[in-house]
Amino acid sequence: MAKVRTMADARREQRRAYWTLVLPGFLLYISVMAFPTIFSVVLSLTNYNGGKLFGGRVPIELVGLKWYQRLIVDEYFYLALKNNLWIVMVSVFGQIPLGFFLAYVLYRGLVKGRDFFQTMIYLPTVISTVVIGILWKSFFAPHGAFPELMRFFMPGYEYSLSQHPMIPVLFVILWMYSGMYMIIFIANLQKIDNTIIEAARIDGASEMQVLRYVILPALSGVIVVTAILAISGSLKSFDLIFIMTAGGPANRTSVLSIYMFDKAFKGAPNYPLANAISTVMVIISFFLIGLTKFAENKFGGRE
Amino acid sequence: MNDIKDHSSARSRISTTITYLVMIFFTVMALYPLFWLILSSFKTTTEFQMNKLGFPRRWVTINYKDAWVRGKFPVLIANSLFYTTVTTLAILLLSFMAGFGFSKIRHKATAVLHGSFVIGILLTLQSIMVPLFLIVNWVGLYNTRLGVLIPYIGIGMPMGVYLGTEYIRSIPDALVESARIDGASYSHIFWRIIVPMAAPVGMTVAILTVTGTWNEFMLINILTSSDALKSLPVGVQKFAGALSTDYGKQFAALTIGLIPMLLFYLIFRKEITKGVAAGAVKG
Amino acid sequence: MVRLVCTKYELMNRRLHPVGMMGKKGEGKTLNKMVLTDHLEVEMTGLRKVAVLLLALVVLGTSLVAQGVKADAEDGKITLNVLNYIDMSEPNSANEVKMIWDRFEQENPDIKIVREDLFNEPFHYKTEAYIASGQLPDVVYMWPSGRSTSLHTTGSVKDLMPLLERDGLVKDYNPAALAPQFAGFLGELPNGITTTHMLFVNKKVLRDNGLPITTDFNEMKKMVPVLKAKGIELIAMDNMDDWVMQSCLFSMVVGRYGGVDWYDRLEAGQLKFTDPWFVKSLELIDDMYKSGMINRNTLGSPYGASRSSFATGKAAFLIDGDWATGSFMTDVTTGDALINAKAQADDFELMVITNLPGEVVHNSNSGVVGTGWGMSADIPAGSAREEAAWRLIKFLQGEYVQTYRLTTGASFPSNLKVDVAKIAREENLEPFITKRADYYNNYVPITPVIDGVLHSDVFNVINKGLQEIGLGSKAPSVVAAEVQRAWEAFLKN
């Protein structure tokens, strides 16, 4: 059926389609996220001090960057930031290589029962952080199963993890998410054109050489994507640590999101300061992701 | 030639064994904690104190009965199912729609709109909790199921739109264009072409949304006050309190909290692993 | 089997053809031709179909049942919103609903209660959210200070004293329980007086190791090597949560060195945190860690975790608050107890640490008014709603409820009408309850608890500082200086 349509008609239809497609989701998203976020940024510039936000006893005034200045000199802010960076490190240099290693082993068929291993190693990722947090919290407590387990292998073991409380947390993070990266890498490894690998083999390349010169370059794009995922996830991470240690003894396991939560909800709430922290967090995320993209462009991914 | 072959086969046997051991090690690492959890839930608290690692000397099921009743789990599980399913379907639909619009229709507004979604990925829940509470109250949706669904959907949109747009972008424009030339409406194109083709990324988004929504435990407390509306993680958390010494019930509650997701995963694992893989593959 | 073939495609040689859904190959318009590689097959086997169907049914079912739960105002009935604090893993918590809340509704058919149960972190941040939005429920569970400080300072709750006076109930309560709270008025009607330091003594462990039954500080220190050789801790404590050390030990110590009125003198400017009374208190804690009286690994122990180890003899003493006695007692629903009645009588005691080196006051204990119930300030004075809410609060702190809480060890009554001795005899209460009554009598005077009198800007620094001392990363004098700075900053505001 031929419809006589002018260019203008077509364009109008196109525009209508565009807005029909995009607007519902956008409106929903904006109402849920945009207003609260803008609100929180504005609040971070005021002297709000608790009590009703609207129609309260004390009028709220803008005070500029006072809270950001307060933040920069707080030692616990840097402690939290440091922990976040630790998590980023463990994610990028722990989960991703580990995931890759496991993927490679399974992909190259070095062991049988790939399906089984795949399923089992990915399992921790789907379990609720509440469950995992509580589980590991009990496990690593001084009277928990961990010391008993250690004593089984090393009699006379003295529990000393409370001196380095970040270690159990990092361990659990590694445990939980490596499986996800493994799956991603397996899929991408499968995408690599086999003929190239075979050609390299015929030319006499060893396993290691194939890995270095064929496989890794082909995966560089994916590695960057996973790095970005890992970084943004690390900076936001809250649930697990909150359940496990709530910031740990003397803020030793605090991360930015927990630090912010404490300021907002512990004792007399200081919402402006908390919101200043969350604004800073977004800025840092931007920065790190920008850095990753820059690295990608520089050291280039050949797909 | 024979020498070389012998050496390499001996070496490869050793390395195969080592690799097997490594894989088994990781599998054990992944499974043991859960195994330990389930095992411990069958011990009474006092026995657990004496015997943290071994098999229960006396298998008890009272923990489960107690935890199930006290924690009001039936209602919570039903709620979790409801919230998760509706949220996931809604996000899938809206993400595909927006993804299609952003990547296949040229428009000046795309840069701004799409960009604002992407920023959403970086935002944290905690910073918006209190203002969200205010809004939900203001529109009268506090303590209603709809009042939980809308925030859940809104929060899951950024990731869905980001992944959806990326993926749909790689569907050849030619397909869409020729469909248009043939007189197909956008609706037809959307349902007949885009949706089937974007199924892999749909899987990824679905999985992320399901795991995220199912395990969400903070916002639900802010958005609701009556127990009849709460979700599973809330029930689990009740047993992990400041004064909790009753490990038996706590572990039973944890296991109960664990099982639905576990079942979901085991049944749909092929789709899940393929979906995560396919969706994250560039192009 | 239904085959759902979804395709991912690859552009090769500019030839494309699509494969439609539902496995019918070549269907649909052949717009362009596309060569397919890689397809994703979702095989809907019987099991999966069932699973999906079941899921759909549940979703439909739950969505049909109730869109939301709103508090309806039925004719003649007043609906009260209540924010309750309840820990499901505590023994006896399930019983509480029946014994207290159901009973109230029975006795007061014209009031309907809509209760929200939360505890720990969710409770606190929900409270803050309520305050910020001006939506506080009618009756709320709260502290006299500490985490509920903002309820007091923002005037979100009413002063209950006028209502008490109006109904002539002032004489019914322990005067100490009616003292003005953090913002200077009676924001909540307390359950009782709480002492925050209790030294649980496992006499059996001491006897079995030939040690004297004493709580003298220096004597306790001497026990450390003997017990360590057997793999037993001297003092069990859960210091991962930052308030525990401050509340359950340090406040008592500060009272011993600073005297009963240290807070008054501090406020009047006569004392500084850098003076000896405070520094010596910090040094004592430091000493306890260094000498092994308290193991540094307690900083990795989440609150509540070491109770069972203590009960099973892995430590000779436990430091916790008086509220912890309830957790050792019998759970009526299961009949289980961490420490059974006989053991309570024979093998355990409830005491305090005595004879701190150089202490100024002897046998004092740190105490604060307990938690209780407050009323939202938004309720108009003299309204029917206020009457209903007040009736609820009176009930919750009345003889019946307080007696119940006494028998479960939940709290020690502030209502003088509750005759503790009589009930202990008649109801055959567990030994811990009588021991607790004796404990309150033995250890006077009562000195202030730090997070009960200081603002969170100051006590948060103290809490963290104590943990730093525990980790060995800050010296007492450094912490004292930090606290003084925080105090001065607070005074300026």
Side-chain angles (χ1 to χ4, degrees):
Chain A
M1 188 179 73
K3 258 188 5 182
V4 176
R5 284 180 359 219
T6 63
M7 282 294 275
D9 278 336
R11 242 179 291 138
R12 221 177 303 136
E13 189 185 349
Q14 191 182 58
R15 236 177 298 138
R16 214 179 323 150
Y18 179 78
W19 288 111
T20 323
L21 287 168
V22 168
L23 213 52
F26 186 72
L27 284 177
L28 205 133
Y29 162 70
I30 285 293
S31 59
V32 170
M33 289 212 102
F35 168 67
T37 310
I38 297 176
F39 188 86
S40 85
V41 174
V42 168
L43 206 59
S44 74
L45 300 170
T46 66
N47 69 345
Y48 170 66
N49 199 10
K52 290 200 209 148
L53 276 170
F54 294 111
R57 299 192 301 185
V58 183
I60 307 177
E61 300 151 356
L62 285 174
V63 292
L65 296 175
K66 162 171 155 191
W67 300 110
Y68 293 90
Q69 289 167 332
R70 184 82 71 87
L71 202 57
I72 302 207
V73 297
D74 187 353
E75 58 168 328
Y76 287 122
F77 170 69
Y78 291 106
L79 192 52
L81 188 58
K82 189 180 71 155
N83 282 330
N84 270 110
L85 291 176
W86 270 117
I87 296 179
V88 170
M89 289 285 128
V90 166
S91 301
V92 173
F93 296 113
Q95 291 170 348
I96 294 183
L98 187 58
F100 177 75
F101 168 73
L102 293 168
Y104 187 71
V105 167
L106 291 179
Y107 160 72
R108 294 281 292 116
L110 296 178
V111 296
K112 285 206 263 290
R114 164 160 112 191
D115 204 31
F116 172 75
F117 283 121
Q118 214 171 289
T119 315
M120 293 303 133
I121 297 183
Y122 185 67
L123 189 59
T125 319
V126 300
I127 301 173
S128 150
T129 39
V130 175
V131 173
I132 291 189
I134 298 173
L135 170 62
W136 287 105
K137 181 171 162 170
S138 295
F139 192 81
F140 279 114
H143 301 290
F146 174 70
E148 277 199 35
L149 199 62
M150 291 304 279
R151 269 184 278 253
F152 184 70
F153 291 116
M154 277 194 300
Y157 169 75
E158 280 284 331
Y159 182 87
S160 61
L161 274 183
S162 37
Q163 298 292 87
H164 309 282
M166 203 59 194
I167 293 185
V169 173
L170 291 173
F171 172 77
V172 177
I173 291 180
L174 189 64
W175 174 81
M176 221 183 141
Y177 293 111
S178 298
M180 180 167 82
Y181 295 110
M182 174 188 77
I183 300 287
I184 294 181
F185 280 124
I186 288 184
N188 283 281
L189 280 169
Q190 285 172 330
K191 251 199 77 183
I192 298 179
D193 197 349
N194 254 325
T195 51
I196 304 182
I197 299 184
E198 275 163 31
R201 277 284 155 65
I202 293 175
D203 283 351
S206 74
E207 189 92 38
M208 274 292 117
Q209 285 171 321
V210 170
L211 187 63
R212 236 187 104 195
Y213 294 110
V214 179
I215 295 187
L216 280 179
L219 287 182
S220 54
V222 178
I223 294 181
V224 170
V225 170
T226 50
I228 294 182
L229 276 177
I231 292 177
S232 61
S234 307
L235 285 172
K236 277 166 68 167
S237 88
F238 176 82
D239 291 2
L240 187 66
I241 306 179
F242 183 67
I243 300 266
M244 272 186 83
T245 63
N251 280 338
R252 285 290 184 278
T253 60
S254 178
V255 288
L256 288 174
S257 46
I258 291 188
Y259 179 63
M260 175 183 80
F261 183 84
D262 275 355
K263 291 291 179 219
F265 296 108
K266 272 227 169 119
N270 193 342
Y271 287 124
L273 184 56
N275 289 320
I277 298 170
S278 77
T279 315
V280 169
M281 277 168 70
V282 175
I283 296 177
I284 296 180
S285 299
F286 259 141
F287 177 67
L288 281 175
I289 290 183
L291 210 65
T292 320
K293 285 251 154 196
F294 175 73
E296 174 188 20
N297 289 335
K298 258 289 186 116
F299 302 107
R302 231 183 332 132
E303 283 289 286
Chain B
M1 263 317 255
N2 276 343
D3 273 359
I4 298 175
K5 242 180 153 185
D6 280 344
H7 274 181
S8 65
S9 70
R11 222 184 313 134
S12 71
R13 239 180 295 138
I14 297 178
S15 59
T16 314
T17 328
I18 295 183
T19 338
Y20 260 107
L21 284 175
V22 169
M23 290 308 286
I24 294 181
F25 171 71
F26 278 108
T27 310
V28 169
M29 282 300 288
L31 293 181
Y32 179 70
L34 304 170
F35 174 70
W36 177 76
L37 171 66
I38 298 178
L39 208 62
S40 305
S41 67
F42 286 108
K43 300 179 190 164
T44 59
T45 305
T46 17
E47 188 190 339
F48 176 72
Q49 275 307 117
M50 312 289 216
N51 170 26
K52 287 209 171 69
L53 290 179
F55 276 79
R57 249 167 260 141
R58 206 188 59 175
W59 294 73
V60 294
T61 53
I62 188 167
N63 290 329
Y64 281 94
K65 182 167 136 295
D66 265 345
W68 181 263
V69 169
R70 281 208 212 169
K72 302 204 208 146
F73 280 109
V75 176
L76 301 181
I77 292 182
N79 278 328
S80 278
L81 277 171
F82 175 70
Y83 293 136
T84 306
T85 320
V86 177
T87 308
T88 308
L89 289 174
I91 289 183
L92 276 175
L93 182 64
L94 291 172
S95 300
F96 277 1
M97 279 167 61
F100 179 38
F102 283 143
S103 56
K104 290 298 166 217
I105 303 181
R106 254 197 258 272
H107 200 288
K108 274 178 287 184
T110 300
V112 172
L113 296 181
H114 180 89
S116 63
F117 273 112
V118 173
I119 294 185
I121 299 182
L122 302 174
L123 297 176
T124 58
L125 200 55
Q126 294 72 44
S127 54
I128 60 170
M129 258 180 4
V130 176
L132 196 55
F133 179 69
L134 285 171
I135 300 179
V136 169
N137 260 307
W138 187 52
V139 296
L141 283 177
Y142 177 68
N143 213 30
T144 61
R145 290 218 166 81
L146 197 59
V148 173
L149 285 173
I150 294 187
Y152 273 5
I153 297 175
I155 290 170
M157 295 274 335
M159 196 44 109
V161 169
Y162 172 65
L163 290 174
T165 314
E166 283 297 303
Y167 193 85
I168 297 180
R169 188 169 287 160
S170 58
I171 297 180
D173 290 349
L175 268 178
V176 177
E177 279 160 22
S178 46
R180 290 283 296 143
I181 291 172
D182 285 348
S185 70
Y186 277 103
S187 161
H188 181 130
I189 298 178
F190 178 71
W191 290 105
R192 287 305 181 87
I193 299 179
I194 302 288
V195 169
M197 286 195 166
V201 79
M203 256 303 163
T204 312
V205 172
I207 290 155
L208 286 174
T209 315
V210 165
T211 43
T213 316
W214 183 270
N215 296 330
E216 202 284 314
F217 68 94
M218 294 208 80
L219 208 54
I220 184 88
N221 275 320
I222 293 272
L223 296 172
T224 60
S225 48
S226 68
D227 284 344
L229 293 174
K230 301 246 170 118
S231 60
L232 188 54
V234 175
V236 174
Q237 245 198 335
K238 279 213 172 110
F239 290 88
L243 307 170
S244 69
T245 50
D246 199 340
Y247 289 114
K249 290 196 193 60
Q250 185 184 105
F251 289 147
L254 287 180
T255 312
I256 294 176
L258 180 47
I259 286 182
M261 211 52 200
L262 204 58
L263 284 175
F264 171 77
Y265 176 66
L266 287 175
I267 294 179
F268 291 104
R269 69 174 188 278
K270 275 218 183 67
E271 290 75 11
I272 290 176
T273 51
K274 282 204 184 123
V276 169
V281 167
K282 272 186 114 173
Chain C
M1 270 202 326
V2 172
R3 264 170 163 262
L4 212 81
V5 180
C6 315
T7 63
K8 190 182 145 247
Y9 57 90
E10 200 161 282
L11 205 71
M12 264 172 67
N13 300 330
R14 302 238 145 232
R15 289 188 299 119
L16 323 138
H17 67 250
V19 170
M21 285 179 76
M22 295 318 200
K24 293 197 213 136
K25 282 199 182 246
E27 189 226 42
K29 290 193 181 176
T30 309
L31 307 164
N32 298 299
K33 281 177 260 155
M34 186 168 68
V35 172
L36 305 155
T37 52
D38 285 350
H39 49 267
L40 192 70
E41 292 179 5
V42 178
E43 296 206 355
M44 301 272 269
T45 59
L47 174 63
R48 301 243 178 84
K49 260 209 278 199
V50 170
V52 172
L53 264 158
L54 226 66
L55 205 72
L57 275 170
V58 177
V59 171
L60 262 147
T62 53
S63 54
L64 286 173
V65 173
Q67 252 306 302
V69 180
K70 283 195 176 145
D72 282 315
E74 291 163 34
D75 300 286
K77 275 199 183 199
I78 295 191
T79 312
L80 287 180
N81 293 314
V82 177
L83 183 60
N84 185 24
Y85 190 93
I86 189 165
D87 179 348
M88 269 308 168
S89 57
E90 273 291 296
N92 296 318
S93 52
N95 220 18
E96 209 173 285
V97 176
K98 199 175 59 166
M99 300 290 285
I100 298 182
W101 299 99
D102 290 347
R103 172 77 176 252
F104 179 80
E105 294 216 277
Q106 274 169 3
E107 293 185 357
N108 295 274
D110 57 330
I111 301 180
K112 184 163 160 12
I113 304 260
V114 175
R115 212 178 70 239
E116 181 178 358
D117 291 334
L118 286 172
F119 77 93
N120 209 17
E121 287 306 320
F123 178 88
H124 293 297
Y125 62 71
K126 188 66 183 286
T127 309
E128 298 295 348
Y130 274 137
I131 299 175
S133 65
Q135 298 255 350
L136 202 62
D138 303 310
V139 175
V140 281
Y141 183 90
M142 49 189 279
W143 278 252
S145 56
R147 291 302 287 272
S148 301
T149 305
S150 31
L151 282 171
H152 294 275
T153 52
T154 57
S156 305
V157 290
K158 289 190 196 234
D159 185 353
L160 295 174
M161 201 50 135
L163 287 166
L164 276 172
E165 287 169 350
R166 187 198 74 182
D167 288 355
L169 292 173
V170 178
K171 59 174 172 32
D172 283 354
Y173 289 93
N174 188 331
L178 297 182
Q181 291 160 4
F182 193 81
F185 63 90
L186 193 73
E188 52 108 344
L189 189 56
N191 288 326
I193 314 264
T194 292
T195 48
T196 56
H197 168 75
M198 186 181 267
L199 185 72
F200 293 79
V201 184
N202 189 332
K203 294 194 290 193
K204 185 165 183 303
V205 168
L206 293 175
R207 283 196 299 256
D208 290 348
N209 289 288
L211 293 168
I213 316 260
T214 170
T215 61
D216 179 292
F217 183 81
N218 286 318
E219 292 298 316
M220 283 173 73
K221 206 193 265 195
K222 290 194 210 145
M223 297 180 194
V224 176
V226 178
L227 291 171
K228 209 162 163 38
K230 298 276 190 67
I232 299 177
E233 293 294 333
L234 180 72
I235 301 177
M237 205 168 169
D238 297 321
N239 285 319
M240 190 185 226
D241 290 37
D242 61 358
W243 58 271
V244 180
M245 174 55 86
Q246 171 260 111
S247 199
C248 302
L249 179 56
F250 189 63
S251 288
M252 179 274 283
V253 175
V254 163
R256 298 274 177 93
Y257 285 116
V260 180
D261 54 352
W262 65 259
Y263 179 67
D264 298 327
R265 285 192 290 153
L266 179 74
E267 256 198 321
Q270 294 166 358
L271 284 182
K272 285 220 268 268
F273 284 105
T274 42
D275 291 336
W277 65 283
F278 195 72
V279 180
K280 274 211 333 211
S281 310
L282 290 171
E283 285 172 352
L284 187 90
I285 306 289
D286 194 35
D287 183 38
M288 289 180 87
Y289 276 116
K290 287 205 170 103
S291 61
M293 289 175 80
I294 299 180
N295 195 322
R296 289 192 197 274
N297 71 20
T298 54
L299 284 159
S301 190
Y303 185 66
S306 62
R307 281 183 198 161
S308 17
S309 334
F310 169 71
T312 50
K314 300 222 173 69
F317 300 93
L318 170 74
I319 292 183
D320 208 327
D322 67 354
W323 56 80
T325 44
S327 65
F328 293 111
M329 292 172 26
T330 307
D331 181 345
V332 281
T333 53
T334 64
D336 276 343
L338 270 180
I339 300 180
N340 64 47
K342 184 162 187 313
Q344 285 179 27
D346 300 338
D347 300 331
F348 289 88
E349 287 301 336
L350 308 176
M351 307 168 91
V352 303
I353 304 184
T354 52
N355 286 333
L356 304 181
E359 66 182 14
V360 174
V361 182
H362 304 295
N363 285 339
S364 68
N365 203 347
S366 50
V368 73
V369 160
T371 51
W373 298 92
M375 191 192 303
S376 166
D378 283 339
I379 302 179
S383 65
R385 180 170 283 257
E386 190 193 41
E387 264 317 298
W390 180 234
R391 243 197 287 165
L392 178 61
I393 295 182
K394 280 193 292 188
F395 171 80
L396 289 168
Q397 301 301 15
E399 199 180 331
Y400 168 73
V401 175
Q402 291 213 357
T403 307
Y404 173 73
R405 292 178 64 96
L406 174 67
T407 57
T408 60
S411 58
F412 214 75
S414 59
N415 192 324
L416 296 170
K417 285 223 189 106
V418 181
D419 186 340
V420 181
K422 178 159 160 287
I423 294 173
R425 274 194 317 269
E426 293 179 357
E427 301 278 339
N428 202 13
L429 293 178
E430 298 196 22
F432 263 5
I433 303 207
T434 21
K435 292 197 178 188
R436 193 167 162 180
D438 293 336
Y439 153 89
Y440 288 122
N441 290 329
N442 292 342
Y443 303 112
V444 281
I446 300 280
T447 63
V449 176
I450 288 178
D451 63 22
V453 290
L454 290 173
H455 190 269
S456 61
D457 285 351
V458 182
F459 73 66
N460 272 335
V461 179
I462 298 180
N463 288 351
K464 295 283 182 268
L466 286 167
Q467 285 191 320
E468 300 273 8
I469 289 178
L471 287 170
S473 52
K474 278 200 185 150
S477 49
V478 172
V479 175
E482 283 179 355
V483 179
Q484 180 62 21
R485 270 201 301 274
W487 172 245
E488 285 165 6
F490 167 72
L491 287 175
K492 260 195 280 201
N493 284 348

